Amino acid sequence: MTEVTELSRPTGEALDTKEVLLNLGPQHPSTHGVLRLVLELDGEYVARVDPHIGYLHRGTEKLAESFTYTQIFPLTDRLDYLCPPSNNLAFALAVEKLLGIEAPIRAQYIRVLMAELARISGHLLITGALPMDLGAMTALVYAMREREMIMDLLEMISGARMHTSFCRVGGVREDLPDGFFPKIREFCDIFPNRIRDYERLVENNRVFLKRTQGIGVISAEDGIDLGLSGPNLRASGVDWDIRRDEPYEIYDRLAFNVITRDEGDCYARWRCRVEEMRESVRIIEQCLDQMPEGPFQIDMPTIAFPVDKDRVHCSMEALIQHFDLSAYGFKVPKGEVYSAIEAPKGELGFYIISDGSQKPFRMKVRAPSFVNLQGLFGVSNARYLADMIAVLGSLDPVMAEVDK
Amino acid sequence: MSGEAPLIPATIAERFSGGIDDLGFAHGVHAFAAPSGMIVDLCRFLKENTTLRFDFLSDICGVDHYPDTPRYEAVYHLYSLANKWRIRIKCGLGDPPRVPSVTGVWRTANWHEREAWDMYGIRFEGHPDLRRIYMWEGFEGFPQRKDFPLRGYKDTLNPFGAEGPPPTQPDLATKDIP
């Protein structure tokens, strides 16, 4: 096995031990899904780590080359399955840039609102899962309760709880349903108090603090060098958020703080996400206040189905366009685009090369979890096997996204 | 996305007189074409230049332009955390594709290059650990190449695959590099 990372052995008396190879995963409950870590152990100290991934590889990029642009949305859902609306948004933005169009303002608000709901949903999982990895089960149960509320909201909007596929090129599939606003306002009222509850559950838990504070420190230089992004990098003190620095959609109209921490340890990464959920609630509230009336889809019958079905029923041209769009999809001008958004896990980028046909010539997904998992090589002081669990949990990889 | 920064092509042209082609600015990204021999120098320059400071490697992507030539391409996406600029470096590669590794410039290149090797068979010379990353050890062929069938090749485990043996590439070992 090649040498991946060398972790210094703590000083002090040590018995002579033989190095042991340990397979952690792919089905070990403390790893997140189908990840296999080959650990070289020196006693209880981890000498090297070699992650083996690919157990969930579905060939999304290859499949996308044989799908029309609209058909690709369900594929993007299945990347980071904790927050499909973000993935949909990232892909839609990339295609819209190639087409040179923009979604109507109301649609942009709906997309941002859903993306922020997804961010909360994704962050809730790690809020509960990291303490669970370290033995404190309770937080996860509570986090799942709130996640259920988000699932209900997403179901209300799209009809699907997990794989929403709600974005379309040029807008969203439908307008928000009746009775949605009171529901989400209720959520926005309840949720900040619930965040306080998680903090009270976990913050004073000495075992959790001992196992995360000062453990698995990644410096800012190492984080940038290893390509970390999102909360993982912000926890190391790098003030970078694509929502603020390269605003897409209507993020430039919203006020929110970019949460950073300086410690760079497991606790800071967990803490960053908890704080970000508060900011997401603020963003959602602003979206609700600012959201204008108007169309939810672009008025271009060659790209989006007309909202007014009478047009299809009464006009021959509209009927032909409708048929053409459903049977063959729309053509995207020749060119290439790289478009990145701030997904819950970090920089989610879509690089699309179009050859002018209805299907992408090449679609590359810059999956944040894939890159973030390399953070395992950047930790400076995770010495014990038990620390690896904390580090892995705090990096928050979603294996579906790692393996694409 | 940030606007166009004319400083980028000017600085690159000043350091690398000729050799690097400016492909223009589109959709928030300034694109350049570089020959494979210059890729490491260019990346190191872009990272260490105090004005440009492209310190973040977003992505490395393999592309197969079959049946056009040059058939392969390695595409690098760089980001400057300080200036909020993005650039793309495109590097056309022959067949078999070989390009020097940039793992010496950014450690994050490690897995990106392993992925491009796994999917396209692009050999990154100087990579410390060029193994397959998604496909299993002993897998034959490079699945994302355009001449690789979508459903793979027919065998006992894959009755719906395409007929015919996988293309052999005598020049390139498709097995893992030890």
Side-chain angles (χ1 to χ4, degrees), chain A residues 152-192:
Chain A
D152 287 344
L153 287 169
L154 291 178
E155 187 183 2
M156 221 176 155
I157 301 175
S158 70
R161 293 166 65 76
M162 269 181 90
H163 301 304
T164 52
S165 293
F166 196 63
C167 266
R168 288 291 180 274
V169 173
V172 290
R173 202 183 72 204
E174 282 166 44
D175 208 348
L176 293 175
D178 295 335
F180 177 73
F181 273 60
K183 274 268 182 203
I184 193 163
R185 291 245 186 234
E186 190 193 330
F187 171 78
C188 290
D189 287 342
I190 294 174
F191 191 62

Side-chain angles (χ1 to χ4, degrees), chain A residues 15-77:
Chain A
L15 295 167
D16 274 343
T17 47
K18 217 175 122 187
E19 299 228 320
V20 177
L21 275 184
L22 178 76
N23 270 303
L24 193 65
Q27 299 297 345
H28 192 277
S30 60
T31 61
H32 288 235
V34 279
L35 170 66
R36 174 182 166 212
L37 292 180
V38 179
L39 302 172
E40 199 174 316
L41 296 180
D42 177 8
E44 211 184 331
Y45 305 121
V46 178
R48 287 187 247 311
V49 52
D50 182 17
H52 285 225
I53 62 172
Y55 291 92
L56 212 53
H57 180 63
R58 291 141 297 166
T60 303
E61 294 172 3
K62 177 98 174 168
L63 278 174
E65 291 170 11
S66 62
F67 282 17
T68 64
Y69 286 94
T70 314
Q71 286 172 333
I72 293 171
F73 280 105
L75 287 183
T76 62
D77 276 347

Side-chain angles (χ1 to χ4, degrees), chain A residues 2 50 53 61-62 65 97 222 225-226 228 240 246 336 347 361-362 364 366 374 402 404, chain B residues 1 27 56 58 62 64 79 86 90 107-108 115 120 129 131 133-134 143-146 148:
Chain A
T2 36
D50 182 17
I53 62 172
E61 294 172 3
K62 177 98 174 168
E65 291 170 11
K97 274 185 191 164
D222 279 347
D225 194 27
L226 287 163
L228 301 193
W240 172 42
E246 300 168 87
E336 30 193 287
E347 176 185 338
F361 179 79
R362 168 85 169 104
K364 165 85 196 202
R366 193 271 183 203
Q374 288 196 77
V402 174
K404 293 189 280 202
Chain B
M1 289 285 167
H27 307 303
F56 190 84
S58 273
D64 179 5
Y79 181 66
R86 284 186 189 276
K90 290 158 70 88
R107 275 193 289 167
T108 182
E115 188 196 340
Y120 289 94
D129 183 24
R131 286 174 295 155
I133 191 159
Y134 286 141
Q144 260 180 270
R145 287 187 174 181
K146 289 281 179 186
F148 194 95

Side-chain angles (χ1 to χ4, degrees), chain A residues 215-286:
Chain A
I215 301 293
V217 178
I218 300 177
S219 69
E221 292 73 36
D222 279 347
I224 293 171
D225 194 27
L226 287 163
L228 301 193
S229 52
N232 286 333
L233 191 57
R234 287 195 284 276
S236 299
V238 181
D239 188 15
W240 172 42
D241 189 319
I242 301 177
R243 289 178 291 173
R244 183 198 60 197
D245 295 338
E246 300 168 87
Y248 49 92
E249 300 289 71
I250 39 91
Y251 274 111
D252 48 355
R253 304 184 186 188
L254 306 170
F256 59 95
N257 296 325
V258 175
I259 310 291
T260 55
R261 304 275 294 189
D262 294 327
E263 301 90 335
D265 56 4
C266 295
Y267 182 74
R269 289 192 280 278
W270 180 82
R271 191 74 229 181
C272 253
R273 291 182 168 93
V274 175
E275 301 273 343
E276 273 185 17
M277 290 198 289
R278 285 209 176 87
E279 296 301 319
S280 290
V281 174
R282 269 182 69 198
I283 293 177
I284 291 173
E285 280 174 338
Q286 292 174 57

